[in-house]
Amino acid sequence: MFWYHTSTKHSYNSVRTNPNRLSWEDQPGTYKNYPGLYAKYKLDLENKEDNLLYHIAGLTAKKTYPGGEYYLRINPSAGALYPNELYFQSRGVEGRKDGIYHYEVSSSSLTLLQKITEDEGLEPYFGYKTAMRGYLFLISAIYYRSSWKYKDRAFRYCLLDAGHLLGSIEASALLKPHAVQMVYTIEREKLNRMFGFEDREWFLSGCSMAVPVHGQEVSALEFELPYVDGSGTFEKNPLIEQAYHETLTMQACRRGIKAPKFTYQTMKLKETIFTRRSQRGFNEGAITKGQFNYIMDAIYQPVLSDCDEEVSVYIVVNRVLDMPLGLYWDGKYIEYGDFARKAGYLSLEQYSLSQQGAVAFFLTSKGKNYQALYQKAGIIGHRLYVASLYMSIGCSGIGAYYDDEVNAFVGNDEMVLYALAIGK
Ligand SMILES: Cc1cc2nc3c(=O)[nH]c(=O)nc-3n(C[C@H](O)[C@H](O)[C@H](O)COP(=O)(O)O)c2cc1C
């Protein structure tokens, strides 16, 4: 097991002997804004292309609390800390200048960071020799936004949240509709330098929503962007830095070449994406077997990717009409029984989610490519949100769980990556 994963496990004792105290005066910001000297384009939601981008990462709700207010987004995030940033190259997209852009969430606009030409672009950093018409997305993490709260465990959340953003791109692309391919073997170190990230922000993955332009070869564009602060405050975390740098080298990647098939109706999907929220607790409502099967079909669809790691999905059935209670994996029951309370306990005693929900999920992997396998867990998690909410069933991601006790419960010694619950 990867040493970073082992050293960031939660246990019943660790969360009690290591209470997490937050220094509110150091709270980082959640928005990165490039200075005004760059050209910025406000998203026009009437424009089809802008609308697609908005449905990946836009702001959708405002929450007020006694000390202030904050905004929620299309994509979920552990603790609403939003460590990820979204960049993309746009080539040959109607109404948009070819170039490399940053999605500025706070103002719903696009910042043009760098122009590209017909024969130069980001394609070679993605492993493409020819020009790609459409979008090449890049997802980064500004890890302090998350490590401020979650300390060493934050790298896990940066990856899960990044996976959710990849899932969000996948869902938004269905509105077009367009196939997306995850690209983990992007030249991350080189790109980090070119984007001026200075080890405070790192690229985690790429995603292509583009088609090759046959016969148009491109070479790698070189540029140097200045560092732009994306968190306000910062405290170095050596453990996370080591974990990131050690997981840059990919080994024995297997391509995922089968495209997923989803059966969403476009207008209903759009509404689902726009209104997505995490459910704050379930009321012990049941779901039907038909709904359960529909959701399972969506999450088990293959992921198109250049490094497809195996992720196991363990399922605790608490309240699905006409289905026996029990622990279930890969379409088969491992053990019959009422494990609702156990699932609630394992999710760091968040009983209102995993116990009171209809179904609880635990995702594990024994893969070798940590960044790729963790982001895949986020993609599956995002599919679970979208498919459940499409069926008017609530969903919540659960990043906190007792790692070793989950292993003992499901009966494997893989890395436990993520828990989720759905229900009513
Ligand atoms: C990786 C991840 C882990 C999460 N873990 C928890 C959790 O342990 N408990 C919980 O109540 N919510 C959890 N959430 C839900 C977030 O709190 C929620 O996404 C965030 O507050 C934004 O709200 P929204 O999803 O409604 O937009 C998690 C979400 C993600 C993406």
Side-chain angles (χ1 to χ4, degrees):
M1 190 176 289
F2 180 36
W3 62 266
Y4 167 79
H5 200 81
T6 310
S7 67
T8 53
K9 286 177 178 175
H10 278 327
S11 71
Y12 184 85
N13 285 332
S14 77
V15 297
R16 281 163 180 80
T17 52
N18 230 341
N20 200 0
R21 282 191 197 87
L22 296 180
S23 58
W24 289 100
E25 64 282 7
D26 293 332
Q27 185 176 13
T30 53
Y31 299 112
K32 178 173 180 177
N33 300 324
Y34 278 84
L37 51 104
Y38 290 91
K40 299 201 184 197
Y41 303 90
K42 192 113 186 121
L43 290 180
D44 168 12
L45 298 188
E46 300 301 317
N47 172 298
K48 247 176 94 174
E49 295 298 331
D50 284 4
N51 200 283
L52 175 117
L53 294 173
Y54 171 79
H55 280 86
I56 297 171
L59 298 174
T60 49
K62 186 159 102 176
K63 290 256 162 176
T64 41
Y65 61 100
E69 59 184 38
Y70 65 100
Y71 289 86
L72 299 177
R73 308 186 187 185
I74 292 269
N75 53 307
S77 165
L81 298 171
Y82 306 104
N84 307 110
E85 291 291 325
L86 183 66
Y87 302 82
F88 63 89
Q89 171 179 297
S90 176
R91 185 190 287 285
V93 173
E94 206 187 312
R96 181 164 300 126
K97 283 195 188 96
D98 286 358
I100 298 163
Y101 293 83
H102 170 247
Y103 186 112
E104 189 169 287
V105 176
S106 65
S107 64
S108 264
S109 53
L110 306 176
T111 306
L112 177 60
L113 299 175
Q114 178 71 43
K115 289 188 180 132
I116 58 168
T117 61
E118 266 190 13
D119 49 14
E120 276 192 328
L122 289 180
E123 285 87 344
Y125 303 112
F126 279 67
Y128 302 128
K129 291 195 177 68
T130 57
M132 297 295 284
R133 193 176 61 242
Y135 299 102
L136 296 181
F137 292 99
L138 285 166
I139 293 173
S140 73
I142 299 175
Y143 74 79
Y144 184 63
R145 287 185 190 160
S146 184
S147 63
W148 164 72
K149 179 172 182 184
Y150 295 119
K151 308 291 185 289
D152 291 347
R153 198 171 158 103
F155 188 44
R156 297 185 183 208
Y157 299 132
C158 290
L159 290 165
L160 281 177
D161 281 3
H164 273 284
L165 256 184
L166 290 171
S168 201
I169 295 173
E170 177 181 75
S172 189
L174 293 172
L175 302 174
K176 211 172 165 181
H178 220 307
V180 296
Q181 152 120 28
M182 313 310 161
V183 189
Y184 296 109
T185 57
I186 51 168
E187 288 183 43
R188 281 163 290 182
E189 278 173 300
K190 177 86 192 274
L191 289 165
N192 288 340
R193 278 198 299 279
M194 280 167 37
F195 279 74
F197 286 170
E198 296 193 352
D199 239 10
R200 293 188 179 197
E201 181 175 356
W202 301 312
F203 282 121
L204 298 176
S205 53
C207 176
S208 158
M209 193 197 295
V211 290
V213 185
H214 293 294
Q216 191 181 324
E217 282 193 16
V218 283
S219 48
L221 181 66
E222 303 262 351
F223 53 87
E224 248 177 70
L225 294 173
Y227 171 71
V228 171
D229 180 19
S231 59
T233 54
F234 176 74
E235 197 181 316
K236 191 177 164 76
N237 183 312
L239 192 95
I240 291 180
E241 288 197 358
Q242 195 185 343
Y244 174 73
H245 291 290
E246 275 186 26
T247 50
L248 282 172
T249 317
M250 318 276 297
Q251 37 182 316
C253 276
R254 200 176 50 114
R255 297 186 81 82
I257 52 167
K258 261 184 93 177
K261 285 201 186 80
F262 298 99
T263 55
Y264 299 121
Q265 190 260 329
T266 310
M267 285 319 289
K268 190 172 169 196
L269 176 64
K270 196 169 182 171
E271 173 77 13
T272 303
I273 294 173
F274 182 71
T275 55
R276 185 213 58 79
R277 287 276 78 82
S278 298
Q279 181 128 352
R280 296 300 172 198
F282 299 107
N283 298 315
E284 305 190 335
I287 65 171
T288 67
K289 200 171 172 181
Q291 290 168 331
F292 176 80
N293 288 338
Y294 183 89
I295 293 166
M296 290 307 115
D297 183 59
I299 69 166
Y300 282 131
Q301 288 298 316
V303 180
L304 274 175
S305 146
D306 64 342
C307 193
D308 190 38
E309 290 283 4
E310 209 140 317
V311 173
S312 300
V313 182
Y314 291 87
I315 295 163
V316 183
V317 175
N318 297 338
R319 289 171 195 88
V320 182
L321 299 177
D322 301 323
M323 271 184 81
L325 304 182
L327 175 65
Y328 176 104
W329 172 73
D330 201 21
K332 296 180 280 288
Y333 274 93
I334 301 175
E335 202 178 341
Y336 292 103
D338 184 351
F339 301 120
R341 186 152 183 86
K342 177 83 184 175
Y345 166 78
L346 291 173
S347 310
L348 226 84
E349 291 145 88
Q350 298 184 69
Y351 294 106
S352 67
L353 294 175
S354 303
Q355 179 183 357
Q356 293 183 198
V359 187
F361 296 80
F362 295 99
L363 276 53
T364 72
S365 178
K366 56 175 187 300
K368 291 273 180 279
N369 294 292
Y370 195 69
Q371 293 191 26
L373 64 88
Y374 230 126
Q375 289 180 83
K376 184 173 178 187
I379 295 170
I380 295 172
H382 201 76
R383 287 176 171 182
L384 186 64
Y385 265 94
V386 173
S388 303
L389 290 158
Y390 188 84
M391 298 265 107
S392 305
I393 291 163
C395 180
S396 179
I398 301 169
Y401 43 82
Y402 297 133
D403 290 75
D404 286 345
E405 293 191 71
V406 173
N407 284 128
F409 173 59
V410 303
N412 76 18
D413 58 0
E414 300 185 356
M415 292 178 284
V416 184
L417 308 175
Y418 199 11
L420 298 111
I422 62 169
K424 290 193 161 180

